[in-house]
Amino acid sequence: MYEQKVAIDIVKESFGDDVTKVFEFLVQRGKSSYKVINQSLNGKGGLTIKRIKQSLLVLIQHNLVTYEEFLLPLSKEEVEQLKPGEPLPSDSVYEAIIVNAIHRLRFPKFINYIKYSKGDEAAYILEELIDHGRLPMDLLIKQASQIQRVDSFEDQDEITKRFEDTFTKLIMDQFIMRAPRPRPISDQETSNALSKEAKKIGSGAGGANQKKESDPFALPTVGTSSNGPLSSGSDNNDSESLEILTGKSSIPLQPKKNSAKKSSAKSKSTTTSTTSTSPSSIGRKRKSRDILEEDDEEPDLLVIEENVEINVNDHNVVNKNTATTTTTAKTIGSNGQHTLKKSKLDLYGQKQLDGQQSSRQQQQGAMDQRLVDESRVLWTINYEQFIIEFKLKACYDFVTEKNNQQSGLLFNAMVKLCKRSIRSNQDSLTSCVYGENILEEYNRDLDPSKKMDKLQIEKYLSIMQASRPSMVTKMVSKSKQSTSSELGAYQVNVGNIIGIIKQKMVESIIKQKFGDNGLRVFKLLLIKNLLEPKQIAELAMIPPNECKALLFNMMQKNIIRLQEIPRSSDHFANRTFYLFFVDLPTIIATFTEDIFKAIYNTRERLKSELEPHKDALEKLSQLDENQITEDQAKIYKKTDRITQTLLTVILNLDNDLLHLYSF
């Protein structure tokens, strides 16, 4: 409940009332088509159709709403009435992304992390993406580099080149990704058929291109330097950043040959290769084989029938080498059949040269079209990667606090080797890493005096494995990964560490609410699972009356739960066991809701504190320091102190929310 309120309040603060109405409707209603949104919001005192479209465009631009296009079912008559090349009619279904609205609270943390880990150029790029949501590469680098040009006297090309390199690093580290481009889909059967067809096409040359287009972290085809092909035309229309791309792939697919035609082509090529033995024919056979491998399609060999006589001199496409080879073949051949086969092979080789040239022209045209499409690709922030980085930082702090600094550095070395296998909200193990690779990564940037040898690394890994819960897991000796390494293969238990971090945070909250006795009861129930009140009082060393009052108080706050186990069918109290237990996921959900409530109330308190001084603060922002009076200065200091205090409270609450909600 309060999660939705906080998300709506954040959108209202950033984009105004009209956009908030559309977002709030999608949050409360769920997935809705444009027709439903228009009917609900377009009325007396509502929004106009144009305003609804603009609001949806803003929400999609800033990754707060996602949509899917579904092809409308058509009858045979309606399909026949469609014009050639006309797209099929479709309808879009929109859905609000509440999590991305909550992530807007963490934008200062994102910028601060990128600034200290990747540099100022990366921070400038991230700020532009935060301000605009989605931008094409050339426009993004142009706007981000303008700040650097003002502060320095460097050459424009050098600054642009440096920002391009930074942009590429952010993509490789998955902090930036391509904005998703939904494509029209029909029912489930059609989508399955399309996926099967895509697999067949993916086996050829077009498969790599389609895979690259579907990869959100695929690097751009070209750069955006001043001499590059994307530099022209990008400055003419800056509104391209608000364009939502939903078109189909621009790379034309080659039509498939007939299977019977292919089989006959193979048989003829085999006959030709067996009858010809000259060196030139061998060279042409190798060349034709290379063409087959390059184009991934068999050439059309059914050019001339075998019973037709061929005069090579009648074709103006035959070169001198071909004519010489034909003359040699006539001299060597014992009958006219050999000459016929040789002449056909020469014509086939020349046709392959023409086909290769046309294929290169098609590839060049496809490349030019791809470059044009590349300039229209929109890039956005990958929130998930930032959450992963914050999660790993929390794990590093926990390992360092529990063991020592060397264990934390060893944990970081293992994480660097298997970071790609770590995802947010995933409690499974990471991919395995070898002990030798861990040793090499750990000693890479350290002083010789602080480096470890194999015995020390193995000792630390065994300690981390023996801890409860285990931080790393050593693979069994029967597996191939472990037997190929002297130190063995290990996996990082990020899920176990995050589970303990969440439990520690829950315990700290319970201690603040119920004191040391409440924390003792909570940890006892976590260990023993189900206990009676008398057993709890004895094991926790709390007086029985005080223990019963504490148990019922914690049960009222949904911290612990009660399980009744009757010994008879009448559920009589004297013949019933009353057992208390702890449901940790439910407690985490309850505390998460309490944190959202605290954030919402704090934001409302900040608005109420600043509302009486709104006009005075607007006037102060327009005055110089010499024109401000003493009373106005007091008002400014008071509001600034209140603002800083409440914003600090919100950031601290968001730190707890990260651990319980996002990890």
Side-chain angles (χ1 to χ4, degrees), residues 269-317:
S269 62
T270 306
T271 306
T272 306
S273 62
T274 55
T275 56
S276 177
T277 57
S278 62
S280 61
S281 64
I282 296 175
R284 277 191 292 271
K285 283 192 293 183
R286 290 179 179 176
K287 182 152 188 162
S288 63
R289 191 179 298 113
D290 295 338
I291 295 173
L292 290 177
E293 295 178 359
E294 181 180 10
D295 296 339
D296 285 339
E297 59 176 353
E298 295 187 6
D300 190 358
L301 301 183
L302 297 178
V303 182
I304 301 173
E305 296 180 358
E306 288 186 359
N307 56 0
V308 178
E309 295 183 0
I310 300 173
N311 187 6
V312 181
N313 296 325
D314 293 340
H315 298 275
N316 55 1
V317 296

Side-chain angles (χ1 to χ4, degrees), residues 614-627:
K614 184 177 181 180
D615 297 335
L617 292 175
E618 290 180 357
K619 293 180 181 179
L620 287 175
S621 62
Q622 300 175 358
L623 297 176
D624 297 334
E625 295 182 0
N626 299 330
Q627 299 176 353

Side-chain angles (χ1 to χ4, degrees), residues 325-561:
T325 307
T326 307
T327 305
T328 306
K330 287 182 178 179
T331 305
I332 298 176
S334 59
N335 50 24
Q337 185 68 21
H338 184 80
T339 305
L340 175 64
K341 297 295 183 179
K342 188 62 188 175
S343 302
K344 287 173 57 180
L345 183 61
D346 295 335
L347 183 62
Y348 165 72
Q350 183 62 33
K351 185 173 181 62
Q352 286 303 310
L353 294 177
D354 297 339
Q356 183 179 6
Q357 184 177 3
S358 62
S359 177
R360 288 177 180 175
Q361 292 178 355
Q362 291 179 359
Q363 291 179 0
Q364 183 65 29
M367 178 60 69
D368 295 340
Q369 183 65 31
R370 195 187 311 168
L371 295 180
V372 175
D373 294 340
E374 196 71 52
S375 63
R376 303 177 62 198
V377 172
L378 300 178
W379 299 88
T380 185
I381 301 174
N382 183 20
Y383 300 118
E384 182 181 3
Q385 185 63 31
F386 284 96
I387 300 302
I388 291 174
E389 296 294 337
F390 294 154
K391 177 193 290 188
L392 296 177
K393 180 63 169 59
C395 293
Y396 167 78
D397 295 337
F398 175 80
V399 173
T400 303
E401 182 181 358
K402 189 175 181 62
N403 294 340
N404 53 17
Q405 186 70 24
Q406 283 74 18
S407 298
L409 295 176
L410 188 60
F411 174 82
N412 277 348
M414 298 179 68
V415 165
K416 287 181 181 179
L417 298 174
C418 59
K419 182 178 287 187
R420 293 301 175 88
S421 63
I422 301 174
R423 290 292 178 266
S424 62
N425 298 323
Q426 180 180 357
D427 296 335
S428 60
L429 296 173
T430 62
S431 58
C432 65
V433 290
Y434 296 113
E436 288 78 8
N437 296 336
I438 299 172
L439 179 62
E440 181 182 357
E441 183 67 29
Y442 179 86
N443 295 330
R444 177 169 297 176
D445 298 329
L446 292 179
D447 296 332
S449 60
K450 297 182 180 179
K451 291 183 178 181
M452 290 188 183
D453 55 7
K454 291 185 178 181
L455 294 178
Q456 291 176 325
I457 288 288
E458 190 173 6
K459 178 182 177 181
Y460 274 101
L461 289 175
S462 61
I463 292 175
M464 295 174 68
Q465 183 183 4
S467 61
R468 292 291 177 267
S470 60
M471 302 175 186
V472 297
T473 299
K474 187 174 182 180
M475 302 187 69
V476 295
S477 58
K478 295 181 180 180
S479 62
K480 295 181 180 179
Q481 290 86 352
S482 59
T483 54
S484 60
S485 173
E486 296 180 1
L487 296 177
Y490 295 85
Q491 291 176 313
V492 184
N493 296 333
V494 179
N496 290 352
I497 300 174
I498 291 298
I500 291 298
I501 291 175
K502 290 182 178 181
Q503 181 180 334
K504 294 293 182 182
M505 183 164 292
V506 170
E507 291 176 358
S508 65
I509 297 174
I510 290 176
K511 184 177 181 180
Q512 293 177 359
K513 288 186 174 182
F514 304 101
D516 294 334
N517 291 338
L519 178 60
R520 195 180 307 150
V521 170
F522 177 79
K523 296 180 72 173
L524 182 64
L525 291 176
L526 278 179
I527 298 172
K528 300 294 185 180
N529 293 331
L530 293 170
L531 289 176
E532 291 183 331
K534 184 178 180 181
Q535 294 174 331
I536 295 174
E538 292 177 355
L539 295 175
M541 294 180 291
I542 302 174
N545 294 333
E546 183 179 351
C547 183
K548 286 183 180 181
L550 180 61
L551 288 174
F552 284 104
N553 186 18
M554 296 176 69
M555 186 177 65
Q556 187 179 5
K557 301 294 183 180
N558 294 326
I559 304 299
I560 61 177
R561 292 190 173 187

Side-chain angles (χ1 to χ4, degrees), residues 11 160 181 258 275 376 398 434 634 663:
V11 173
T160 304
R181 297 191 297 178
N258 191 3
T275 56
R376 303 177 62 198
F398 175 80
Y434 296 113
K634 290 181 180 179
F663 288 175

